[in-house]
Amino acid sequence: MSSELSSLQEQILKLKEEKRAIILAHNYQRNEVQDIADFVGDSLELSRKAATIDCEMIVFCGVHFMAESASILSPDKTVLLPEAEALCPMADMIQVDSPRPVRTRFPGFENPPPYIFPPEFTLRDIKAKYPGVPVVAYVNTTADVKAESDICCTSANVVTVIESLPGDSVICIPDKNLSMWAARNTKKKVIAWDGYCNVHERVTVEDVKKAKAEHPGAVVVAHPECRIEVLDMADHVTSTSGMLRFCRTSPAAEFVIGTEIGLMHRLRKENPGKVFHALRKDMICPNMKKTTLASVLRAFRENVHVVKVPDHIRVPAKRALDRMLAIP
Ligand code: CIZ
Ligand code: SF4
């Protein structure tokens, strides 16, 4: 490790103690940021940690919606997001009441099925069209969208959440890939939104074919934010926490990993005897990589950037998160 790096780490650890803070890092963060964190996990594991741990300050190394969830569940703690511009483009693809700009459709999805809502709609439009149909919001949504939703879900529990709801239909926002994958695994009608993660969306069937040819003995694991035709070719489909569990317990020794490459750090650290290949080397989320050790240090020094969800949004958003957390 360079002395510059270790000096940054030392300064961070000192301020962390002084401020009675904890550092949470998402599985997609840079390796050195993961290494300085008290806990590394998916957005929900980290928010749960934020709610239960005894501290005054949380420095959330992730993207904005994750810091919002921590603030929703722990309103009395100061939540800092080191990089104000660490946003999730997918979370920004749905708005409560003002439509987002119409974007160009991506290849292969020129003719979406009719149940997928186009971008010029808003969440309120879709709710008005399907009165009484419950809205399931993926955790990758902004706090105000969660506040307008009935329940949240993660990529790990989406099917269980859908099955827990009354009626035979659900509105599932904002990721069309996760929604279509959930639709495959439930008898309920899933009304999907036209959002997507541009990091997972870029994986193609050709990429999977190539990875299988290059690593014939490897197990292919894909995140449900990938396109449905990619998921159909994978051996296992699961969230980041699910991937960590699966690769730890699987008897296989070689894996191809279809998610943001930040996860490779934990996979390799926790499974030194196993081999991991990225499904695509460019599965890199620029927003997740904005946070560096220097920005973590600045967050502590300058108390930036405070993420605080106002009560009129926090209370209904917490209701949606609590409903999910109440499902065993
Ligand atoms: O919920 C999360 O943390 C995300 C964005 C991915 C995952 O599967 O863990
Ligand atoms: Fe959003 Fe995708 Fe980046 Fe996750 S990896 S923060 S879903 S853009």
Side-chain angles (χ1 to χ4, degrees):
M1 189 193 306
S2 75
S3 60
E4 194 190 339
L5 206 62
S6 70
S7 144
L8 277 174
Q9 287 177 339
E10 274 165 28
Q11 294 177 68
I12 290 169
L13 293 177
K14 190 159 164 279
L15 283 169
K16 189 179 82 140
E17 243 162 68
E18 273 171 37
K19 299 198 172 213
R20 291 203 63 242
I22 58 158
I23 302 174
L24 302 180
H26 190 268
N27 287 328
Y28 297 159
Q29 288 288 294
R30 290 167 183 268
N31 298 358
E32 65 274 19
V33 172
Q34 294 190 30
D35 289 343
I36 198 107
D38 296 284
F39 299 99
V40 184
D42 67 24
S43 60
L44 191 70
E45 288 170 338
L46 295 178
S47 293
R48 278 196 166 121
K49 207 42 113 184
T52 51
I53 202 151
D54 178 29
C55 66
E56 279 167 27
M57 178 182 276
I58 294 162
V59 175
F60 207 118
C61 305
V63 289
H64 191 265
F65 77 83
M66 299 177 179
E68 279 188 331
S69 294
S71 163
I72 291 166
L73 294 173
S74 329
D76 298 333
K77 294 171 186 155
T78 302
V79 178
L80 299 183
L81 181 71
E83 288 292 337
E85 293 300 311
L87 302 167
C88 169
M90 172 158 69
D92 290 333
M93 284 180 185
I94 183 160
Q95 257 118 54
V96 170
D97 57 11
S98 55
R100 64 186 162 89
V102 176
R103 65 194 157 74
T104 319
R105 288 201 181 280
F106 36 88
F109 210 71
E110 288 80 6
N111 298 302
Y115 56 83
I116 294 209
F117 267 67
E120 51 273 22
F121 279 78
T122 67
L123 178 53
R124 291 215 173 119
D125 292 332
I126 196 170
K127 284 171 73 166
K129 187 166 162 63
Y130 295 98
V133 176
V135 178
V136 178
Y138 189 24
V139 283
N140 297 33
T141 44
T142 54
D144 60 338
V145 166
K146 289 187 177 76
E148 281 278 324
S149 303
D150 294 280
I151 188 167
C152 292
C153 76
T154 68
S155 48
N157 65 13
V158 57
V159 176
T160 319
V161 166
I162 290 174
E163 300 275 317
S164 76
L165 296 167
D168 56 9
S169 305
V170 293
I171 296 164
C172 204
I173 56 169
D175 184 9
K176 68 176 182 353
N177 293 321
L178 182 72
S179 303
M180 285 197 264
W181 183 74
R184 288 271 178 92
N185 292 287
T186 175
K187 289 202 165 58
K188 290 189 195 246
K189 179 181 171 201
V190 177
I191 299 157
W193 193 262
D194 190 15
Y196 65 99
C197 162
N198 53 8
V199 177
H200 291 83
E201 178 71 20
R202 70 183 59 150
V203 181
T204 63
V205 164
E206 288 310 311
D207 293 323
V208 186
K209 280 188 191 156
K210 190 163 164 269
K212 284 188 171 182
E214 280 172 8
H215 313 291
V219 176
V220 178
V221 189
H223 194 280
E225 288 173 19
C226 295
R227 295 163 187 246
I228 198 80
E229 63 270 24
V230 166
L231 301 181
D232 283 343
M233 294 177 73
D235 298 302
H236 192 65
V237 176
T238 187
S239 64
T240 58
S241 48
M243 288 184 187
L244 287 158
R245 244 187 333 272
F246 176 79
C247 296
R248 192 170 53 237
T249 52
S250 164
E254 192 180 2
F255 302 85
V256 170
I257 301 296
T259 195
E260 212 280 348
I261 57 155
L263 188 71
M264 307 290 267
H265 186 53
R266 266 189 85 185
L267 284 167
R268 289 183 175 137
K269 235 169 134 171
E270 293 176 14
N271 303 279
K274 300 188 176 184
V275 179
F276 298 95
H277 310 280
L279 180 48
R280 271 181 73 121
K281 291 195 171 55
D282 64 352
M283 291 186 79
I284 301 171
C285 175
N287 283 285
M288 280 284 177
K289 303 304 188 229
K290 281 183 180 153
T291 307
T292 60
L293 288 183
S295 47
V296 175
L297 181 60
R298 190 192 51 211
F300 276 120
R301 283 193 176 148
E302 299 175 15
N303 227 32
V304 288
H305 299 270
V306 177
V307 175
K308 180 128 187 86
V309 178
D311 272 353
H312 71 282
I313 293 173
R314 190 183 73 79
V315 172
K318 184 169 185 306
R319 197 158 47 225
L321 278 166
D322 283 345
R323 283 197 185 122
M324 169 182 74
L325 294 173
I327 296 176

